[in-house]
Amino acid sequence: MTVEDSTLRVRVLGAGIIGLTCALELGRRGHRVEVVDPAPGSGASWAAAGMLSPAGEAWHGEADLLRTGRRSADLWPGLAQDLGVPLRPVGTMLVAHDAGDADDLGRLLSLLTDHGEPLERLDPRDARVLEPALARGCAGAALLPRDHSVDPRVVVRALRRRCRVVPAATGPADVTVVATGTTLPPPFAHLVRGVRGEVVRAHCPDPPRRTLRGWVRGTPVYVVPRPDGEVVIGATQSEHAAPPVVTLEGLATLLAAARTLLPGLDRATFAEAVARDRPASVDHRPLVGATHLPEVLLAAGHHRHGVLLAPLTAVLIADQLDGGASEPAWDPRRFDAVHPPTGAWQTAPSRSVPQ
Ligand code: GLY
Protein backbone atom coordinates (compact mmCIF):
# COMPACT_ATOMS: atom_id res chain seq x y z
CA MET A 1 0.00 0.00 0.00
CA THR A 2 1.12 3.58 -0.60
CA VAL A 3 1.03 6.03 2.31
CA GLU A 4 -2.15 7.51 0.85
CA ASP A 5 -3.71 4.04 0.55
CA SER A 6 -3.01 3.34 4.20
CA THR A 7 -5.82 5.69 5.19
CA LEU A 8 -8.99 3.63 4.94
CA ARG A 9 -12.60 4.66 5.11
CA VAL A 10 -13.84 2.38 7.87
CA ARG A 11 -17.46 1.82 8.76
CA VAL A 12 -18.02 0.37 12.21
CA LEU A 13 -21.46 -1.17 12.64
CA GLY A 14 -22.51 -0.87 16.28
CA ALA A 15 -21.88 1.87 18.85
CA GLY A 16 -21.54 -0.28 21.94
CA ILE A 17 -18.33 -0.32 23.91
CA ILE A 18 -16.68 -2.69 21.42
CA GLY A 19 -17.54 -0.73 18.27
CA LEU A 20 -16.72 2.63 19.81
CA THR A 21 -13.40 1.48 21.23
CA CYS A 22 -12.46 0.08 17.82
CA ALA A 23 -13.47 3.39 16.21
CA LEU A 24 -11.35 5.37 18.65
CA GLU A 25 -8.26 3.25 17.97
CA LEU A 26 -8.79 3.25 14.20
CA GLY A 27 -9.17 7.04 14.21
CA ARG A 28 -6.03 7.36 16.30
CA ARG A 29 -4.17 5.40 13.61
CA GLY A 30 -5.27 7.82 10.92
CA HIS A 31 -8.24 6.01 9.37
CA ARG A 32 -11.46 7.84 8.54
CA VAL A 33 -14.09 6.20 10.71
CA GLU A 34 -17.86 6.37 10.86
CA VAL A 35 -19.79 4.43 13.50
CA VAL A 36 -23.31 3.47 12.44
CA ASP A 37 -25.95 2.79 15.07
CA PRO A 38 -29.54 4.07 15.35
CA ALA A 39 -29.48 3.46 19.14
CA PRO A 40 -25.90 3.97 20.37
CA GLY A 41 -24.88 2.35 23.63
CA SER A 42 -28.25 0.76 24.25
CA GLY A 43 -27.25 -2.92 24.00
CA ALA A 44 -25.20 -5.02 26.40
CA SER A 45 -23.02 -2.01 27.28
CA TRP A 46 -26.06 -0.40 28.91
CA ALA A 47 -26.49 -3.30 31.32
CA ALA A 48 -22.82 -4.13 31.92
CA ALA A 49 -21.48 -3.70 35.43
CA GLY A 50 -17.97 -2.87 34.18
CA MET A 51 -15.83 -5.41 36.01
CA LEU A 52 -12.29 -5.59 34.63
CA SER A 53 -11.99 -8.94 36.23
CA PRO A 54 -10.10 -11.63 34.30
CA ALA A 55 -9.28 -13.52 37.50
CA GLY A 56 -12.75 -13.27 39.02
CA GLU A 57 -14.39 -14.38 35.76
CA ALA A 58 -11.97 -17.24 35.11
CA TRP A 59 -13.19 -20.81 35.30
CA HIS A 60 -11.92 -24.26 34.46
CA GLY A 61 -11.89 -24.79 30.71
CA GLU A 62 -11.79 -21.03 30.08
CA ALA A 63 -8.31 -20.30 31.38
CA ASP A 64 -7.51 -18.61 28.07
CA LEU A 65 -9.48 -15.64 29.39
CA LEU A 66 -6.80 -15.10 32.00
CA ARG A 67 -4.21 -14.47 29.30
CA THR A 68 -6.29 -12.33 26.93
CA GLY A 69 -8.21 -10.69 29.77
CA ARG A 70 -5.06 -9.70 31.61
CA ARG A 71 -3.59 -8.35 28.37
CA SER A 72 -6.69 -6.22 27.86
CA ALA A 73 -6.97 -5.20 31.53
CA ASP A 74 -3.43 -3.84 31.26
CA LEU A 75 -4.61 -1.53 28.45
CA TRP A 76 -7.49 -0.13 30.53
CA PRO A 77 -5.61 2.45 32.64
CA GLY A 78 -4.29 4.12 29.48
CA LEU A 79 -7.72 4.08 27.83
CA ALA A 80 -9.43 5.44 30.93
CA GLN A 81 -6.88 8.23 31.21
CA ASP A 82 -7.23 9.10 27.52
CA LEU A 83 -11.03 9.27 27.87
CA GLY A 84 -10.89 11.12 31.20
CA VAL A 85 -13.03 8.49 32.95
CA PRO A 86 -12.34 7.09 36.42
CA LEU A 87 -11.15 3.52 36.92
CA ARG A 88 -11.73 2.12 40.42
CA PRO A 89 -8.36 0.51 41.25
CA VAL A 90 -9.23 -1.24 44.51
CA GLY A 91 -9.42 -4.89 43.48
CA THR A 92 -12.21 -7.44 43.92
CA MET A 93 -13.17 -9.53 46.92
CA LEU A 94 -14.42 -13.09 46.45
CA VAL A 95 -16.79 -14.31 49.17
CA ALA A 96 -18.27 -17.76 49.85
CA HIS A 97 -21.43 -17.97 51.97
CA ASP A 98 -21.52 -21.63 53.01
CA ALA A 99 -19.32 -24.71 52.88
CA GLY A 100 -20.45 -25.68 49.37
CA ASP A 101 -19.74 -22.15 48.16
CA ALA A 102 -16.31 -22.37 49.79
CA ASP A 103 -15.65 -25.41 47.58
CA ASP A 104 -16.40 -23.30 44.50
CA LEU A 105 -14.17 -20.55 45.81
CA GLY A 106 -11.41 -23.07 46.49
CA ARG A 107 -11.61 -24.41 42.93
CA LEU A 108 -11.29 -20.90 41.49
CA LEU A 109 -8.37 -20.04 43.76
CA SER A 110 -6.55 -23.25 42.72
CA LEU A 111 -7.00 -22.35 39.07
CA LEU A 112 -5.72 -18.82 39.66
CA THR A 113 -2.75 -20.05 41.68
CA ASP A 114 -1.86 -22.52 38.91
CA HIS A 115 -1.79 -19.58 36.47
CA GLY A 116 0.30 -17.36 38.70
CA GLU A 117 -2.48 -14.83 39.45
CA PRO A 118 -1.79 -12.88 42.62
CA LEU A 119 -4.43 -13.33 45.33
CA GLU A 120 -4.72 -13.09 49.08
CA ARG A 121 -6.76 -15.64 51.05
CA LEU A 122 -8.72 -13.95 53.83
CA ASP A 123 -10.30 -15.33 56.97
CA PRO A 124 -13.82 -14.01 57.70
CA ARG A 125 -12.56 -11.50 60.25
CA ASP A 126 -10.01 -9.98 57.83
CA ALA A 127 -12.64 -9.90 55.08
CA ARG A 128 -14.89 -7.80 57.35
CA VAL A 129 -12.05 -5.45 58.22
CA LEU A 130 -11.63 -4.75 54.50
CA GLU A 131 -15.40 -4.78 53.84
CA PRO A 132 -17.30 -3.82 56.99
CA ALA A 133 -20.66 -4.15 55.21
CA LEU A 134 -20.19 -7.92 54.73
CA ALA A 135 -22.43 -10.28 56.67
CA ARG A 136 -20.77 -12.00 59.63
CA GLY A 137 -19.41 -15.50 59.32
CA CYS A 138 -18.75 -16.10 55.63
CA ALA A 139 -17.23 -19.49 54.81
CA GLY A 140 -14.24 -18.13 52.92
CA ALA A 141 -12.94 -15.05 51.13
CA ALA A 142 -10.05 -13.84 49.01
CA LEU A 143 -8.81 -10.61 47.53
CA LEU A 144 -7.94 -10.25 43.85
CA PRO A 145 -5.77 -7.14 43.89
CA ARG A 146 -5.62 -6.66 40.10
CA ASP A 147 -9.34 -6.95 39.21
CA HIS A 148 -10.75 -3.41 39.03
CA SER A 149 -13.88 -1.77 37.54
CA VAL A 150 -15.13 1.10 35.39
CA ASP A 151 -18.62 2.48 34.76
CA PRO A 152 -19.47 1.40 31.19
CA ARG A 153 -22.15 4.08 30.81
CA VAL A 154 -19.60 6.78 31.60
CA VAL A 155 -17.10 5.14 29.25
CA VAL A 156 -19.60 4.93 26.39
CA ARG A 157 -20.56 8.60 26.85
CA ALA A 158 -16.90 9.59 26.70
CA LEU A 159 -16.30 7.41 23.63
CA ARG A 160 -19.29 8.90 21.84
CA ARG A 161 -17.83 12.36 22.34
CA ARG A 162 -14.67 11.17 20.57
CA CYS A 163 -16.23 9.23 17.68
CA ARG A 164 -18.46 10.15 14.75
CA VAL A 165 -21.68 8.21 15.35
CA VAL A 166 -24.48 8.35 12.77
CA PRO A 167 -27.84 6.55 12.65
CA ALA A 168 -27.34 5.28 9.08
CA ALA A 169 -24.37 4.86 6.75
CA THR A 170 -23.51 8.04 4.87
CA GLY A 171 -21.29 6.87 2.03
CA PRO A 172 -18.98 4.18 0.70
CA ALA A 173 -16.52 2.40 2.96
CA ASP A 174 -13.37 0.45 2.18
CA VAL A 175 -13.78 -1.79 5.18
CA THR A 176 -16.60 -2.65 7.57
CA VAL A 177 -16.10 -3.74 11.17
CA VAL A 178 -19.18 -5.57 12.46
CA ALA A 179 -19.69 -4.93 16.17
CA THR A 180 -23.44 -5.30 16.50
CA GLY A 181 -23.53 -7.46 19.60
CA THR A 182 -26.08 -10.25 19.55
CA THR A 183 -27.58 -9.35 16.18
CA LEU A 184 -24.96 -9.91 13.53
CA PRO A 185 -26.00 -9.39 9.90
CA PRO A 186 -25.87 -12.23 7.34
CA PRO A 187 -23.74 -14.18 6.67
CA PHE A 188 -22.55 -14.01 10.30
CA ALA A 189 -25.85 -14.15 12.18
CA HIS A 190 -25.44 -17.81 13.18
CA LEU A 191 -22.12 -17.18 14.93
CA VAL A 192 -23.57 -15.41 17.96
CA ARG A 193 -26.51 -16.12 20.27
CA GLY A 194 -27.94 -14.06 23.09
CA VAL A 195 -27.47 -15.15 26.71
CA ARG A 196 -29.81 -13.15 28.86
CA GLY A 197 -28.49 -11.25 31.84
CA GLU A 198 -30.54 -9.24 34.32
CA VAL A 199 -29.02 -6.62 36.64
CA VAL A 200 -30.41 -4.38 39.37
CA ARG A 201 -29.16 -0.91 40.25
CA ALA A 202 -29.76 0.62 43.66
CA HIS A 203 -28.46 3.46 45.82
CA CYS A 204 -26.97 2.13 49.00
CA PRO A 205 -26.08 4.07 52.18
CA ASP A 206 -23.55 1.38 53.10
CA PRO A 207 -22.01 0.12 49.84
CA PRO A 208 -19.02 -2.19 49.64
CA ARG A 209 -15.68 -0.48 49.00
CA ARG A 210 -14.75 -2.72 46.09
CA THR A 211 -16.43 -5.22 43.78
CA LEU A 212 -17.72 -8.26 45.66
CA ARG A 213 -18.19 -11.51 43.81
CA GLY A 214 -19.93 -14.12 45.86
CA TRP A 215 -21.51 -17.53 45.87
CA VAL A 216 -24.60 -17.92 48.01
CA ARG A 217 -25.89 -21.49 48.29
CA GLY A 218 -24.58 -22.09 44.77
CA THR A 219 -25.90 -18.86 43.23
CA PRO A 220 -23.18 -16.61 41.85
CA VAL A 221 -23.72 -12.88 42.39
CA TYR A 222 -21.67 -9.71 42.14
CA VAL A 223 -22.09 -6.24 43.60
CA VAL A 224 -20.14 -3.46 41.92
CA PRO A 225 -20.01 -0.07 43.69
CA ARG A 226 -19.86 3.32 41.96
CA PRO A 227 -18.40 6.46 43.52
CA ASP A 228 -21.85 8.02 44.07
CA GLY A 229 -23.19 5.15 46.20
CA GLU A 230 -24.87 3.32 43.35
CA VAL A 231 -24.40 -0.44 43.34
CA VAL A 232 -24.90 -2.74 40.37
CA ILE A 233 -26.10 -6.19 41.37
CA GLY A 234 -25.79 -8.91 38.77
CA ALA A 235 -26.33 -11.02 36.96
CA THR A 236 -28.61 -13.81 35.91
CA GLN A 237 -27.53 -15.95 33.00
CA SER A 238 -30.02 -17.84 30.87
CA GLU A 239 -30.23 -19.14 27.33
CA HIS A 240 -33.26 -17.53 25.79
CA ALA A 241 -34.65 -17.09 22.31
CA ALA A 242 -37.17 -14.44 23.41
CA PRO A 243 -36.25 -10.75 23.74
CA PRO A 244 -34.51 -9.95 27.05
CA VAL A 245 -36.93 -8.90 29.77
CA VAL A 246 -36.57 -8.48 33.51
CA THR A 247 -38.31 -11.31 35.36
CA LEU A 248 -39.41 -11.41 38.97
CA GLU A 249 -37.57 -14.69 39.34
CA GLY A 250 -34.36 -13.03 38.15
CA LEU A 251 -34.76 -10.10 40.54
CA ALA A 252 -35.68 -12.34 43.47
CA THR A 253 -32.66 -14.59 42.90
CA LEU A 254 -30.19 -11.72 42.60
CA LEU A 255 -31.55 -9.77 45.53
CA ALA A 256 -31.74 -12.79 47.84
CA ALA A 257 -28.09 -13.64 47.14
CA ALA A 258 -26.82 -10.06 47.36
CA ARG A 259 -28.72 -9.33 50.60
CA THR A 260 -27.30 -12.45 52.19
CA LEU A 261 -23.78 -11.21 51.52
CA LEU A 262 -24.53 -7.56 52.31
CA PRO A 263 -27.43 -7.21 54.79
CA GLY A 264 -27.20 -3.41 54.55
CA LEU A 265 -28.67 -3.63 51.05
CA ASP A 266 -32.07 -3.79 52.76
CA ARG A 267 -31.75 -0.01 53.25
CA ALA A 268 -30.85 0.62 49.59
CA THR A 269 -33.31 2.37 47.32
CA PHE A 270 -34.24 0.74 44.04
CA ALA A 271 -33.04 2.62 40.93
CA GLU A 272 -33.38 0.36 37.91
CA ALA A 273 -33.61 -3.19 36.63
CA VAL A 274 -32.29 -3.99 33.17
CA ALA A 275 -32.06 -7.08 30.99
CA ARG A 276 -29.85 -7.44 27.94
CA ASP A 277 -28.46 -10.32 25.94
CA ARG A 278 -24.77 -11.09 26.12
CA PRO A 279 -23.38 -11.88 22.66
CA ALA A 280 -21.97 -15.41 22.98
CA SER A 281 -20.14 -17.40 20.30
CA VAL A 282 -20.30 -21.20 20.12
CA ASP A 283 -17.11 -21.64 22.18
CA HIS A 284 -17.62 -18.47 24.27
CA ARG A 285 -14.48 -16.91 22.83
CA PRO A 286 -14.65 -13.61 20.96
CA LEU A 287 -14.75 -13.36 17.17
CA VAL A 288 -12.22 -10.68 16.32
CA GLY A 289 -10.49 -10.15 13.01
CA ALA A 290 -10.70 -11.04 9.34
CA THR A 291 -13.57 -13.08 7.90
CA HIS A 292 -14.04 -15.01 4.66
CA LEU A 293 -15.14 -11.69 3.14
CA PRO A 294 -12.01 -9.62 2.44
CA GLU A 295 -13.68 -6.31 3.23
CA VAL A 296 -15.39 -7.31 6.48
CA LEU A 297 -13.96 -7.83 9.97
CA LEU A 298 -15.81 -9.01 13.04
CA ALA A 299 -15.50 -7.58 16.54
CA ALA A 300 -18.15 -9.69 18.23
CA GLY A 301 -19.01 -12.57 20.54
CA HIS A 302 -17.49 -11.17 23.75
CA HIS A 303 -20.13 -12.87 25.93
CA ARG A 304 -19.51 -11.84 29.59
CA HIS A 305 -16.35 -9.89 28.85
CA GLY A 306 -17.11 -7.04 26.44
CA VAL A 307 -16.00 -4.25 28.75
CA LEU A 308 -12.85 -6.05 29.86
CA LEU A 309 -11.84 -7.07 26.33
CA ALA A 310 -12.73 -3.83 24.51
CA PRO A 311 -9.25 -2.25 24.42
CA LEU A 312 -7.50 -5.44 23.26
CA THR A 313 -10.20 -5.96 20.62
CA ALA A 314 -9.63 -2.42 19.33
CA VAL A 315 -5.88 -2.91 19.09
CA LEU A 316 -6.29 -6.25 17.29
CA ILE A 317 -8.77 -4.84 14.78
CA ALA A 318 -6.55 -1.83 14.07
CA ASP A 319 -3.45 -4.06 13.84
CA GLN A 320 -5.24 -6.26 11.35
CA LEU A 321 -6.13 -3.31 9.13
CA ASP A 322 -2.52 -2.19 9.34
CA GLY A 323 -1.37 -5.66 8.24
CA GLY A 324 -0.34 -6.75 11.74
CA ALA A 325 -0.87 -9.77 13.96
CA SER A 326 -4.18 -11.29 15.06
CA GLU A 327 -5.15 -13.41 18.10
CA PRO A 328 -5.48 -16.99 16.76
CA ALA A 329 -7.88 -18.07 19.54
CA TRP A 330 -10.29 -15.31 18.45
CA ASP A 331 -10.11 -15.86 14.66
CA PRO A 332 -13.73 -15.66 13.38
CA ARG A 333 -12.92 -18.18 10.62
CA ARG A 334 -12.41 -21.02 13.13
CA PHE A 335 -16.07 -21.99 12.67
CA ASP A 336 -16.23 -21.77 8.87
CA ALA A 337 -15.76 -25.52 8.28
CA VAL A 338 -18.39 -26.71 10.77
CA HIS A 339 -20.77 -23.74 10.61
CA PRO A 340 -20.41 -22.41 7.06
CA PRO A 341 -21.47 -18.77 6.60
CA THR A 342 -25.03 -18.48 5.29
CA GLY A 343 -26.72 -15.59 3.50
CA ALA A 344 -25.34 -12.71 1.48
CA TRP A 345 -23.45 -9.72 2.82
CA GLN A 346 -25.50 -6.66 1.91
CA THR A 347 -22.91 -3.89 1.89
CA ALA A 348 -20.59 -3.61 -1.08
CA PRO A 349 -17.44 -1.74 -0.06
CA SER A 350 -14.83 -0.83 -2.62
CA ARG A 351 -11.53 -2.16 -1.34
CA SER A 352 -10.01 -5.16 0.41
CA VAL A 353 -8.61 -5.43 3.92
CA PRO A 354 -4.94 -6.46 4.11
CA GLN A 355 -5.14 -10.17 5.11
N1 GLY B 1 -19.38 -9.84 33.11
C1 GLY B 1 -20.44 -10.03 33.98
C2 GLY B 1 -21.66 -10.53 33.36
O1 GLY B 1 -21.71 -10.80 32.17
O2 GLY B 1 -22.62 -10.68 34.06
Side-chain angles (χ1 to χ4, degrees), residues 51 57 222 235 278 303-305:
M51 291 176 291
E57 289 269 340
Y222 51 77
R278 304 175 181 87
H303 194 215
R304 298 177 58 92
H305 315 299

Side-chain angles (χ1 to χ4, degrees), residues 155-174:
V155 172
V156 165
R157 266 202 301 276
L159 284 164
R160 286 180 64 187
R161 283 196 289 271
R162 296 278 294 277
C163 300
R164 178 164 176 263
V165 183
V166 293
T170 61
D174 302 310

Side-chain angles (χ1 to χ4, degrees), residues 111-147:
L111 175 75
L112 297 178
T113 305
D114 288 349
H115 285 81
E117 272 292 321
L119 57 90
E120 188 183 340
R121 291 172 196 264
L122 301 168
D123 67 28
R125 187 197 302 244
D126 290 342
R128 285 193 82 235
V129 170
L130 289 175
E131 288 294 346
L134 267 186
R136 286 177 197 280
C138 68
L143 192 64
L144 303 177
R146 297 172 72 197
D147 280 22

Side-chain angles (χ1 to χ4, degrees), residues 165-258:
V165 183
V166 293
T170 61
D174 302 310
V175 176
T176 300
V177 178
V178 178
T180 48
T182 47
T183 320
L184 302 188
F188 307 108
H190 64 295
L191 291 176
V192 167
R193 70 185 195 285
V195 178
R196 180 194 287 173
E198 294 150 274
V199 299
V200 181
R201 287 176 154 75
H203 288 278
C204 185
D206 192 16
R209 294 171 177 168
R210 54 180 63 69
T211 297
L212 298 184
R213 301 179 67 101
W215 293 264
V216 178
R217 292 181 276 275
T219 299
V221 66
Y222 51 77
V223 181
V224 183
R226 304 277 187 241
D228 63 356
E230 185 184 72
V231 290
V232 183
I233 303 167
T236 59
Q237 181 157 322
S238 59
E239 302 283 340
H240 227 283
V245 291
V246 177
T247 63
L248 293 188
E249 183 196 10
L251 294 187
T253 305
L254 289 175
L255 293 180

Side-chain angles (χ1 to χ4, degrees), residues 7 37 40 60 94 127 169 174 179 181 197 200 213 248-249 261 282 286 328 331 340:
T7 296
D37 196 328
H60 298 269
L94 304 175
D174 302 310
V200 181
R213 301 179 67 101
L248 293 188
E249 183 196 10
L261 290 183
V282 173
D331 190 328

